[in-house]
Amino acid sequence: MFPAKPTSRFILFALTILLLLSFTVLVTANEDPVVGADTGEDDDGLEELIAIDEQEEEGQDHQQQQQQGFDQQKEAEVLSKAQRIVLELNSDNVKRVISENEFVMILGYAPWCARSAELMPHFAEAANKLKELGSSVLMAKLDAERYPKAASNLEIKGFPTLLLFVNGSSQAYTGGYSGEEIVIWARKKTGFPVIRISSATEAEEFVGKSHTFVVGLFEKFEGPAYEEFVKAATTDNEIQFVEVSDNAVAKILFPDITDANQFMGLVKSEPERYTPYEGVWTTEKILQFLDYNKFPLVTKLTELNSVKVYSGPIKLQVMVFSNADDFKNLNEPLQEIARNFKLKIMFIYIDIADENLAKPFLTLFGLEDSENTLVTAFDSRINVKYLLELDPTPSNIEEFCSGLLHGSVSPYFKSQPIPDNTEASIQVVVGKTFDNLVLSSPKNVFLEVYTPWCMNLETTSKQVEKLAKHFKGLDNLVFARIDASANEHPKLQVQDYPTLLFYPAGDKSNPVKLSKKSSTKDMATFINKQLKAENGVAKDEL
C-alpha cells in the first residue's frame, strides 16, 4: 500500500496522544482560580470595575479550559476503548483468527511508520463503529516488524497495509482512510452496499453522523434504474449509498430535491454540499459522476489521501502552498474560484510547513526553501508544470487558471539566478540563459551536464577544465556546464549524468553526445575535427 520507510516522527502516535491529553486534564483540574487585580480606589471606581471584569473573563476562560479538558479526556477514553476492540495478532494466533471468522480486517503496521501511526486511530474508530452497528467483521492488527514471518505469510510488504479476509481469502483494501470510510468499505464488502432509510427520525440521525453520501429516491425499490443504482453502490469503494422511497424523508437528506419519484444526488460536508445527478441511469455514468464530484472544491492534501488525489480523473491540478494562518484568508475566495473551474481543474491545498508533503513538490520548481504562499499547477496528461509568478491574490489566481485552460500560460522550467561569467573559463549556464549561451550562440559550445550527486563527476569535470585550458583563446569555441538538478530547459533532455554534449555552431538542434569513457585526448581530437570541418581552425593535439 505504501513502501516501508523508517521515520523518527509519529512513534507510538496513539499512546503519545493519550499521554498528552491526560497531562492536559491533570493540569486543568489542579489549576488554582486566578485572582483579579488589586481594587485600588479612584473617583469613579473604574479600577474596581476593571478588576471585576477581568475576574469574570478569567473565570470563563478557566471554565472553558476545564470543559476542553473534559472533552479531550472523553475523546481519549473513546479512542482507548476503540483500540481495545482491535485484536492484537501474533505468530501464534493469526492463522486461527482468520480461519475461525468469516470476515477479518487486518491492519499490518510498523511502530516507526508515520503513516501507520496516522491510520491507527482511524482504524480503531472504525472498529468501534462496526461493533455498534452489529457488524460481524473482526478488526485486528499485526506488528509486522515484530512478527515478520506472519506478515510475510499474509503478503504484507509495506506499511500500513489493510487486508480483508472473507472465509480465509484475502483482498486488498481500496477505500479511504478515515474511520467513516473504513466502515463504509467494510460494510460494502460484507453484504451492505446500501442503507435503507424509512423515517424522518432515521434520516435526521444519519445526516448528523455522515459526511459524504449518495441518496437515491425510488418510488419502488425495483426496476432498471434502481438495479443500476445498487450495482454502482456495490462497485464503489468509498461512498455510502442511501435509498429512500418517501419524498419527505429524501428532502431531509437532500433539501433541494424536486418532487419526483426518482432522484439521485451527492451530499458532502463542504461549501458545495449538494450536487444532483442529471445523467443517464447506468452504473458507468453514476460512478463517473461520483469520481468527478466526490472531492471538495479545495482538497487538503494529507499523507493518507495523497494516492487518491493524484489518481483522480481531473489531471490538471492547481496546488496552493501556504501556511495555515495565511490560507485562512485565501480559503473563501479560492472556494469560489474552484467553483468556477469545477470539473476542469482540481484545487489542492498543501501546508507549506509540512516538509513530507510540500518539499518534494517545491523541489520540482527549485523553491524548496520557500515559506510564503505559492501557487503552482501540474498537468499530468502532458507532464508539464506551471508557476504563478505574480502575487497569489484571488484575481491573479483566477487569471492564472483561465490561462491554463486557454493555453496562454507558459510551462515553468526551474532556474538558478543568472551568474556572472565575466572571468570564467567555463561558462556557467542556468535555465534562464540556456537559450542565449547555448542555442542562440554563434559559437561552438562544449557543454557538461551534471548533478552534484552523480558518479564520476569529479573525473569528468577535471577533463572539461583541462580541455578548456587547452583550447583557451579560440573565439569560436565555448566551454560551459549546467547543473541539471537546479536548472531545466525544454530542449535539454538528459537522463544520464554527467553527460557531455557538443553543439556545433551551424546546427544547435543536433548536439553530439560524447562517450564518458573517452580520454581527454580523444575528446580533444573530436573537438579539433569539428573545428576543422567548420572553418579549418584547430589546436595542437594534447
Side-chain angles (χ1 to χ4, degrees):
M1 185 169 296
F2 296 107
K5 181 180 180 182
T7 177
S8 61
R9 301 187 304 151
F10 303 112
I11 298 176
L12 298 179
F13 176 84
L15 178 60
T16 304
I17 291 295
L18 291 175
L19 289 174
L20 288 174
L21 293 177
S22 299
F23 178 76
T24 303
V25 173
L26 181 62
V27 171
T28 305
N30 289 280
E31 191 176 35
D32 291 329
V34 180
V35 179
D38 291 338
T39 56
E41 297 181 0
D42 75 0
D43 293 339
D44 299 321
L46 181 60
E47 291 183 7
E48 182 177 352
L49 290 173
I50 292 174
I52 292 173
D53 288 342
E54 288 177 345
Q55 285 180 329
E56 290 179 351
E57 290 176 359
E58 290 167 349
Q60 292 173 355
D61 290 342
H62 183 65
Q63 290 177 354
Q64 290 175 353
Q65 290 173 1
Q66 286 182 320
Q67 182 62 42
Q68 183 180 14
F70 175 77
D71 292 340
Q72 290 175 335
Q73 183 182 28
K74 188 175 180 181
E75 289 175 6
E77 290 173 355
V78 171
L79 175 59
S80 178
K81 178 184 176 183
Q83 288 174 325
R84 290 195 296 271
I85 295 172
V86 178
L87 178 66
E88 186 75 52
L89 298 176
N90 54 51
S91 297
D92 297 327
N93 68 4
V94 61
K95 287 186 178 179
R96 175 174 55 80
V97 168
I98 292 174
S99 64
E100 292 180 357
N101 293 275
E102 183 181 8
F103 304 116
V104 182
M105 180 173 279
I106 296 178
L107 168 60
Y109 70 97
W112 45 258
C113 173
R115 293 186 178 98
S116 295
E118 189 175 354
L119 179 58
M120 194 75 74
H122 299 298
F123 188 74
E125 176 192 343
N128 195 39
K129 181 63 177 176
L130 285 167
K131 186 173 183 180
E132 290 177 0
L133 293 169
S135 172
S136 59
V137 179
L138 175 64
M139 304 290 276
K141 60 184 178 181
L142 175 69
D143 184 339
E145 184 178 65
R146 186 176 180 183
Y147 305 107
K149 187 174 180 180
S152 177
N153 290 337
L154 298 180
E155 297 188 355
I156 295 174
K157 301 176 182 179
F159 313 117
T161 292
L162 277 173
L163 298 171
L164 175 66
F165 287 82
V166 180
N167 293 319
S169 298
S170 70
Q171 55 180 291
Y173 180 78
T174 54
Y177 294 99
S178 68
E180 181 182 357
E181 289 171 320
I182 294 172
V183 169
I184 291 170
W185 189 90
R187 282 174 60 81
K188 285 192 175 192
K189 297 302 179 182
T190 56
F192 298 93
V194 182
I195 294 176
R196 181 171 297 180
I197 294 180
S198 304
S199 68
T201 302
E202 289 177 346
E204 290 168 356
E205 183 180 349
F206 181 83
V207 169
K209 294 181 179 179
S210 303
H211 296 91
T212 301
F213 59 90
V214 174
V215 56
L217 169 65
F218 302 93
E219 186 177 13
K220 295 181 179 180
F221 298 124
E222 59 184 33
Y226 176 70
E227 290 175 2
E228 295 297 316
F229 176 81
V230 174
K231 286 180 184 178
T234 305
T235 306
D236 175 78
N237 291 316
E238 301 175 20
I239 304 174
Q240 182 62 63
F241 280 55
V242 177
E243 60 185 28
V244 296
S245 59
D246 187 302
N247 197 284
V249 174
K251 284 189 175 182
I252 297 174
L253 302 169
F254 200 107
D256 297 337
I257 194 171
T258 57
D259 292 326
N261 296 325
Q262 186 172 287
F263 173 86
M264 193 187 86
L266 174 65
V267 182
K268 297 181 291 187
S269 57
E270 303 292 339
E272 185 194 42
R273 185 158 173 77
Y274 303 104
T275 308
Y277 177 65
E278 298 174 347
V280 296
W281 289 83
T282 66
T283 301
E284 181 183 359
K285 291 299 182 181
I286 292 173
L287 293 175
Q288 187 180 68
F289 163 76
L290 297 179
D291 214 19
Y292 274 87
N293 290 276
K294 64 186 177 184
F295 291 104
L297 288 172
V298 180
T299 300
K300 181 178 180 180
L301 190 71
T302 66
E303 293 276 5
L304 293 179
N305 72 4
S306 58
V307 174
K308 184 168 65 173
V309 169
Y310 301 142
S311 61
I314 302 175
K315 302 305 180 183
L316 178 57
Q317 299 180 337
V318 168
M319 300 178 181
V320 179
F321 298 85
S322 181
N323 63 53
D325 289 336
D326 290 341
F327 188 72
K328 287 179 182 177
N329 298 324
L330 187 58
N331 186 28
E332 188 173 340
L334 190 62
Q335 294 279 344
E336 191 57 36
I337 294 170
R339 195 186 310 277
N340 295 336
F341 293 97
K342 186 182 175 183
L343 306 182
K344 298 176 181 177
I345 299 176
M346 183 175 187
F347 288 77
I348 303 169
Y349 160 59
I350 303 174
D351 186 347
I352 201 168
D354 189 333
E355 288 195 0
N356 288 340
L357 291 173
K359 196 166 185 177
F361 286 101
L362 294 177
T363 300
L364 295 175
F365 292 83
L367 302 169
E368 56 270 25
D369 296 326
S370 299
E371 297 180 354
N372 298 323
T373 299
L374 294 169
V375 178
T376 70
F378 189 78
D379 191 336
S380 60
R381 295 167 300 186
I382 53 176
N383 275 347
V384 174
K385 59 181 182 290
Y386 306 87
L387 174 68
L388 174 61
E389 301 191 59
L390 302 174
D391 291 336
T393 63
S395 59
N396 285 340
I397 294 174
E398 186 163 16
E399 186 176 346
F400 175 68
C401 293
S402 180
L404 290 172
L405 293 179
H406 292 93
S408 58
V409 178
S410 298
Y412 177 82
F413 299 96
K414 62 183 177 181
S415 174
Q416 293 175 305
I418 298 176
D420 182 4
N421 285 317
T422 305
E423 303 296 330
S425 59
I426 300 178
Q427 301 284 298
V428 176
V429 178
V430 297
K432 294 177 180 178
T433 61
F434 188 83
D435 279 322
N436 290 336
L437 295 183
V438 179
L439 299 182
S440 300
S441 171
K443 302 180 181 181
N444 299 282
V445 179
F446 189 97
L447 180 67
E448 175 191 3
V449 186
Y450 72 96
T451 61
W453 56 82
C454 60
M455 296 178 63
N456 303 320
L457 173 60
E458 185 176 354
T459 300
T460 304
S461 293
K462 285 182 178 180
Q463 285 182 302
V464 175
E465 290 166 3
K466 189 172 182 179
L467 290 169
K469 184 177 181 180
H470 177 71
F471 286 98
K472 184 178 180 180
L474 290 182
D475 293 336
N476 65 338
L477 177 62
V478 173
F479 285 85
R481 57 169 51 121
I482 183 170
D483 180 355
S485 70
N487 299 279
E488 298 172 326
H489 191 278
K491 293 187 178 179
L492 182 65
Q493 301 297 325
V494 174
Q495 305 298 328
D496 183 30
Y497 306 103
T499 289
L500 299 176
L501 299 172
F502 185 86
Y503 289 82
D507 187 7
K508 294 298 178 70
S509 60
N510 292 298
V512 180
K513 183 177 180 180
L514 284 76
S515 172
K516 288 181 290 187
K517 296 181 180 180
S518 300
S519 66
T520 307
K521 184 175 182 180
D522 289 338
M523 293 182 189
T525 301
F526 168 80
I527 293 172
N528 265 325
K529 287 182 179 179
Q530 295 294 320
L531 297 179
K532 285 180 180 179
E534 180 186 340
N535 53 20
V537 178
K539 268 274 190 179
D540 296 333
E541 295 294 334
L542 283 172

